[in-house]
Amino acid sequence: CKTTAPDRQAYVGSCEERGCMTTCFTPDAMTKNSTYPWKNLTLKEEFYPTNTSERQQQVEEDRKEGIRERRQHTYEPRFQCGTKQNQTKKPLIPLSIQSIFEHHLLFLPEHKLLFCGIPKSGITEWKRFFRYTRGAQDYLSWPHFKNDLKPFHLSSLSKEKQEEILNNPLWTKAVFLRDPAERLLSGYLDKIINEGWSKPVFEQNHTLSFAEFIDLITTFNKRHTRPSKCKIHGLNTCTDPHFRPQFFLCGLDYLLPSFDFIGSFQHLSEHTRLLLSKVGMWDEYGLKYDDGIDTGKVGSTCDYPPPNRPSNFTPVGFNQGKNRTSRHDTQSSTKMRDYYTK
């Protein structure tokens, strides 16, 4: 992960020391004047103009103002469950919605795909796949903070550009949703049991039982001792995204009518193929994707090397294997009866 090119510094250095942000094993990322991670200069200039410092300052100011609005609930939801929607109305994005796009809403301009990745609904695998399509050779690494994905966060664009994408019928807007009860159990098993979040996140001195966990996140209006942490109890727009209702991620409580592909986590393999075929990515990327599941604990390091395969090796394709590739897999679908009662 080393280079002498000044314009490549965002992609180099020790991954562990720089918080898993850099790109490894990828010559294009180290080459001076390379357009990586963009496919060509035209796309880079259209979506990531040279006046990035001024643009990013405005984006950050809008984000902070949006957070203040969101906490005060000063926006009017455009989407209401059980009511007939006006599909012809073009969405104008309130700052309160724009502020919660975070790193969950990504776009791939050459395929005109806008994708909402939801924690505990496969977002880690999708981010690895998107890095694979960029040409990152370390795509099996921990993906969430890699600098080569940041330009493709919808939140990195101006409000005008975001609305242009959302209102363009040529763009596919996609999200995969998961059974809420199964997703919540997966979040508990992963974050509370496996990663010990009871103390640092919920300020509890013992490992929360599932019943205690449910009681905490359904208790409204209890504030964290550190205001910057917002509300940690209650299911709302400020809940940690691993437990937050899917409706409150990517601004779906406002933008869901704009999404024209809603996949099911329970039918992940089939719906992944459908989506990637729809946007012209299956044959070029999806079919050829090597999940590396047999090479070790994928995603356990920041600089996981590309799989070393024989010439006759045939990959199973993206999201097509029976076993999950994420280190966060909790097998929650097989444990529902152990934790939930009728």
Side-chain angles (χ1 to χ4, degrees):
C1 304
K2 297 180 180 179
T3 183
T4 57
D7 64 332
R8 301 283 92 192
Q9 294 304 312
Y11 306 116
V12 300
S14 169
C15 283
E16 298 291 350
E17 292 176 0
R18 295 194 58 186
C20 252
M21 295 187 295
T22 59
T23 303
C24 293
F25 315 111
T26 308
D28 282 349
M30 318 303 168
T31 305
K32 184 178 180 179
N33 298 325
S34 168
T35 61
Y36 179 89
W38 300 91
K39 291 299 183 181
N40 56 61
L41 185 59
T42 300
L43 288 174
K44 180 178 180 181
E45 291 178 343
E46 179 182 356
F47 290 92
Y48 214 66
T50 54
N51 60 337
T52 54
S53 60
E54 295 179 6
R55 179 174 56 83
Q56 286 301 103
Q57 182 178 356
Q58 184 61 50
V59 168
E60 181 63 16
E61 290 175 0
D62 288 347
R63 186 187 71 84
K64 290 180 179 179
E65 177 63 26
I67 289 175
R68 288 191 289 270
E69 289 188 18
R70 188 80 177 184
R71 288 178 177 174
Q72 296 170 4
H73 298 282
T74 57
Y75 74 99
E76 292 296 329
R78 175 169 171 260
F79 175 76
Q80 295 287 344
C81 287
T83 61
K84 187 175 181 180
Q85 304 304 310
N86 180 5
Q87 298 293 338
T88 63
K89 182 180 178 182
K90 293 184 177 181
L92 299 177
I93 309 174
L95 289 178
S96 52
I97 297 295
Q98 183 187 17
S99 66
I100 60 165
F101 287 166
E102 300 169 326
H103 58 279
H104 301 132
L105 202 52
L106 299 104
F107 68 96
L108 295 182
E110 65 273 18
H111 296 284
K112 291 184 168 51
L113 172 63
L114 180 67
F115 185 86
C116 170
I118 293 181
K120 308 312 303 174
S121 295
I123 186 174
T124 299
E125 286 72 31
W126 280 100
K127 284 191 171 185
R128 288 198 193 103
F129 176 72
F130 289 154
R131 293 193 69 236
Y132 169 78
T133 69
R134 303 302 90 194
Q137 295 299 301
D138 65 338
Y139 66 93
L140 293 178
S141 304
W142 185 238
H144 293 291
F145 304 107
K146 294 291 188 180
N147 281 333
D148 53 13
L149 269 186
K150 290 180 180 178
F152 303 100
H153 293 167
L154 192 70
S155 59
S156 72
L157 302 178
S158 68
K159 187 170 183 287
E160 292 73 23
K161 198 68 175 177
Q162 293 175 6
E163 290 176 350
E164 178 185 323
I165 290 174
L166 282 164
N167 288 321
N168 191 332
L170 298 179
W171 280 70
T172 297
K173 296 91 177 178
V175 62
F176 277 71
L177 301 179
R178 186 176 186 178
D179 175 88
E182 181 184 316
R183 176 175 173 264
L184 189 60
L185 176 58
S186 178
Y188 168 78
L189 294 173
D190 179 25
K191 301 304 177 184
I192 304 300
I193 300 301
N194 295 344
E195 297 191 12
W197 279 22
S198 294
K199 175 64 175 178
V201 175
F202 289 95
E203 300 180 328
Q204 304 297 309
N205 292 321
H206 65 285
T207 299
L208 292 168
S209 68
F210 189 56
E212 290 172 325
F213 167 71
I214 294 296
D215 286 342
L216 278 177
I217 62 171
T218 55
T219 301
F220 289 89
N221 300 321
K222 186 169 182 179
R223 288 280 182 177
H224 197 284
T225 55
R226 291 168 291 174
S228 62
K229 289 292 186 179
C230 197
K231 295 179 181 179
I232 60 166
H233 299 169
L235 296 176
N236 51 64
T237 60
C238 216
T239 307
D240 182 275
H242 297 90
F243 316 127
R244 189 186 307 168
Q246 296 164 96
F247 202 52
F248 287 144
L249 286 153
C250 300
L252 291 179
D253 56 328
Y254 189 82
L255 298 173
L256 188 60
S258 300
F259 280 70
D260 51 10
F261 187 100
I262 300 178
S264 167
F265 190 80
Q266 280 66 37
H267 302 282
L268 186 61
S269 296
E270 178 186 357
H271 290 183
T272 293
R273 291 195 303 272
L274 288 172
L275 173 60
L276 296 184
S277 296
K278 183 179 188 293
V279 297
M281 295 178 68
W282 177 250
D283 290 341
E284 185 177 1
Y285 298 113
L287 187 63
K288 301 173 183 177
Y289 184 82
D290 184 353
D291 60 22
I293 191 171
D294 59 334
T295 65
K297 197 169 185 180
V298 172
S300 59
T301 68
C302 297
D303 53 356
Y304 203 94
N308 184 15
R309 303 296 196 184
S311 58
N312 62 347
F313 177 79
T314 302
V316 298
F318 177 58
N319 275 346
Q320 302 305 301
K322 293 182 179 179
N323 297 315
R324 310 292 301 169
T325 61
S326 175
R327 69 177 185 177
H328 291 306
D329 180 30
T330 60
Q331 300 293 318
S332 58
S333 62
T334 66
K335 301 175 182 179
M336 294 286 284
R337 290 188 178 181
D338 296 335
Y339 287 88
Y340 287 104
T341 56
K342 293 184 178 180

